[in-house]
Amino acid sequence: MEISTLATYHCLAFVWYFFVTYSITHVRTEERPSEVFLYGGQWKYLTVLNLVLQAVFYGVSFLADALRLIKKLRCAKCVISSRDLLFSVLAFPVSTFVCLSFWTLYSYNRELVYPKSLDGVIPLWLNHAMHTAVLPFAVLEILATPHRYPAKKKGSILLGFVAFLYISWVLWIYSVTGEWVYPLFALFRPAGLAAFFTCSLAIIISFYNFGEFLNRMIWGQSKFWF
């Protein structure tokens, strides 16, 4: 893909994610179900954090494209390294996890992840923008440009560390409010919850490995930059 075309795409994707993030964070306070938007607001949901992550990623990608267009190659090289790290370790696996886990649980019992009370607050288009469109965007990014992946061990450790931070945030919210971020968690005893988190981590790491596989199949083997 031509750099100018790629820059246009990344710019539009950044604007889209900025708009979606703005939309979900500006749901009118008086319409928010109190049992959903307690301590932590929208920032306790992985879906919303992923929107911010995607906006940051596409913003960095657009910056890298712009630097390449104006021939600032030394600066572009540094930004591209950050872009590749963001995409490989976080943007692709988290988007894939958000989409597939949400719709799997939604199909089983929506009250576990997305209570019906939200239907009158969050428009259908916004629900799909948060939970559906993120996966096609991630796949399209792999098709649009190659990304250099870090050594698998280091990438997995970094992803695991970020997952640990989010789990810690979820547990902190529960310790403060006595309410789980997702009703699903209330179904588990401590050992079961630990097993659920461990299984979820294994799944998201498998998505990281799958992203690397797709990147290698489409673009060929590239040297690790880590």
Side-chain angles (χ1 to χ4, degrees), residues 73-132:
L73 299 183
R74 182 174 297 180
C75 294
K77 184 177 180 180
C78 179
V79 177
I80 287 172
S81 295
S82 299
R83 179 204 69 183
D84 288 347
L85 181 63
L86 276 172
F87 180 76
S88 61
V89 177
L90 295 176
F92 181 84
V94 174
S95 286
T96 306
F97 181 81
V98 165
C99 179
L100 298 183
S101 63
F102 175 82
W103 288 113
T104 299
L105 292 170
Y106 186 97
S107 299
Y108 173 71
N109 182 355
R110 65 169 297 173
E111 293 298 321
L112 297 177
V113 290
Y114 194 82
K116 195 172 180 61
S117 58
L118 285 175
D119 286 347
V121 180
I122 300 177
L124 182 61
W125 74 265
L126 187 52
N127 181 21
H128 283 292
M130 295 188 297
H131 298 114
T132 307

Side-chain angles (χ1 to χ4, degrees), residues 117-195:
S117 58
L118 285 175
D119 286 347
V121 180
I122 300 177
L124 182 61
W125 74 265
L126 187 52
N127 181 21
H128 283 292
M130 295 188 297
H131 298 114
T132 307
V134 291
L135 182 53
F137 265 104
V139 173
L140 182 58
E141 177 63 23
I142 286 185
L143 296 174
T145 186
H147 296 275
R148 288 175 293 177
Y149 273 65
K152 188 168 294 187
K153 181 179 178 180
K154 294 181 178 180
S156 298
I157 290 174
L158 180 56
L159 178 55
F161 177 70
V162 173
F164 171 77
L165 290 179
Y166 179 69
I167 292 171
S168 299
W169 174 227
V170 168
L171 295 176
W172 171 258
I173 291 172
Y174 178 74
S175 72
V176 172
T177 67
E179 298 287 340
W180 288 109
V181 171
Y182 297 103
L184 169 69
F185 298 158
L187 301 178
F188 297 101
R189 295 190 177 189
L193 191 62

Side-chain angles (χ1 to χ4, degrees), residues 1-14:
M1 186 180 290
E2 293 287 338
I3 297 178
S4 57
T5 304
L6 197 60
T8 301
Y9 164 67
H10 284 147
C11 181
L12 292 175
F14 168 74

